[in-house]
Amino acid sequence: MGKVVVGLALTVAAAACAVAAVVVGRRVKSKRKWKKVLGVLRELEESCDTTVGRLKQVVDAMAVEMHAGLASEGGSKLKMLLTFVENLPNGSEKGTYYALDLGGTNFRVLRVQLGGTRSSILGHDVDRRPIPPELMTSTSQDLFDFIALSLVEFVESEEDGINTSRDRDRDLGFTFSFPVKQSSVSSGILIKWTKGFVIPDMVGKEVAGCLEQALSRQGLNMRVVALVNDTVGTLALGHYHDADTVAAVIIGTGTNACYLERTDAIIKCQGLFTTSGAMVVNMEWGNFWSSHLPRTTYDIDLDADSPNPNDQGFEKLISGMYLGDIVRRVILRMSQETDIFGSVSSRLSVPFILRTPLMAAMHEDDSPDLREVGKILREILEIPDIPLKVRKLVVKVCDVITRRAARLAAAGIAGILKKIGRDGSGGLTGGRRSDNKMKRTVVAVEGSLYTSYTMFREYLNEALSEILGEEVAQHVILKGAQAQVARAISVFWS
């Protein structure tokens, strides 16, 4: 009996040792997996590093490229397009204005009533419609016929039966947020498409003319009296409310900036004369590039897979169209390196399936168990049952990508301020630090990344203060713009 007991004890001990060995092995394996994933995260953080020193290098590069773009056509990655807008609204404007905004996957038709004093916007009506995806790669006639029909429906419904004759003359401000080489305030040809649009037959055509022809086919007598970029509309609205507004930035699906430049600084158009001595310049800063910009392997792969490789490099680092997909690519890499997300979900390989608003929702999830993170991973990426520490890892990835984007956008804004001598240094060509008192400077900012994404906005404001220094930063004010009204302000230059 004693031998049996001893044998049984030995068997139990051996089994216990085996179980313990398995448990220890799993723990060791789990630690190795986690260490590997943390290595991917560390590599990402290092590649996305945006120290103040590096940001100041980006600021200098932006100012230099602006100067080069004003000196000669093709002299810079920045197109620095003339808008022929020399006088900005001052708040005295009165009347009812129509506007059309085309700049992304949606377009808007607006009617705005202005009362003649600053901040006196009596009311505005908006009709927002998605552009069918097939029209983004169709023909110019198909696209503009669709828009014209929508405009007809809006005019007839908003005027509510009062003087709704299609023959009545109406003026229209057209906000067209793609690169255009303008020949006047109301005309210009399309240089190229961005933001997912690929309509080859439209490139090189006169934009306002294409819209007017479509309106004519619909029997609506409406004339395009102003053709502007969305950044110009944002600058106009900012100046309408605050005369110290000198620049505008869009940070949404895409990104761009414009500012008020002295005409004598626009060297590529010598002899250019304006009564105000200034003109709004559309930078098309999405195409800005510098070796100082922090770029990762994920950015390189995204660029290679995009419809416009080696183009819009700045935009691909900071705009809403791309941030969510960069995060998806990082998560895919982590899931391929280890199984902390379970088996690799096929959804992780679908480009742009993780949209930036979803990324922002995960980043700003403040629930104790990161419930929203788990929900998005499960419903969008089909990654179920993720432990809390892995959810925290996903939030960290979102934070790294968002912080880089916001800080680079701040460097871009500081570059504009440097070029026009509003950064406290006297400007790019000032020769020495200005002794003049720092002027109050307002930059109008529009786009969902800034207006709706709290963490992005906080990171941008923080970085701008770091770059400029507190003494200068207190004179620089970023003001969120009301996007819908900004589109209609364009008609003032008719």
Side-chain angles (χ1 to χ4, degrees), residues 362-378:
M362 292 195 295
H363 188 198
E364 298 188 326
D365 184 359
D366 59 1
S367 62
D369 59 350
L370 297 178
R371 192 178 307 111
E372 188 65 17
V373 176
K375 179 183 177 184
I376 291 171
L377 291 175
R378 181 176 62 254

Side-chain angles (χ1 to χ4, degrees), residues 94-116:
K94 285 184 179 181
T96 299
Y97 301 89
Y98 281 100
L100 172 66
D101 168 34
L102 175 62
T105 53
N106 297 288
F107 76 93
R108 301 176 185 89
V109 184
L110 310 94
R111 188 175 66 169
V112 175
Q113 293 175 286
L114 301 173

Side-chain angles (χ1 to χ4, degrees), residues 5 7 12 47 73 83 94 109 155 193 247 252 268 272 305 333 348 354 387 417 427 453 456 459 478 487:
V5 172
V12 170
S47 299
E73 291 291 351
T83 65
K94 285 184 179 181
V109 184
V155 169
W193 289 105
K268 63 184 177 183
L272 180 68
D305 294 341
R333 162 88 181 279
L348 270 174
L354 184 64
L417 299 180
Y453 193 171
F456 185 98
Y459 279 143
L478 303 186
R487 308 307 197 232

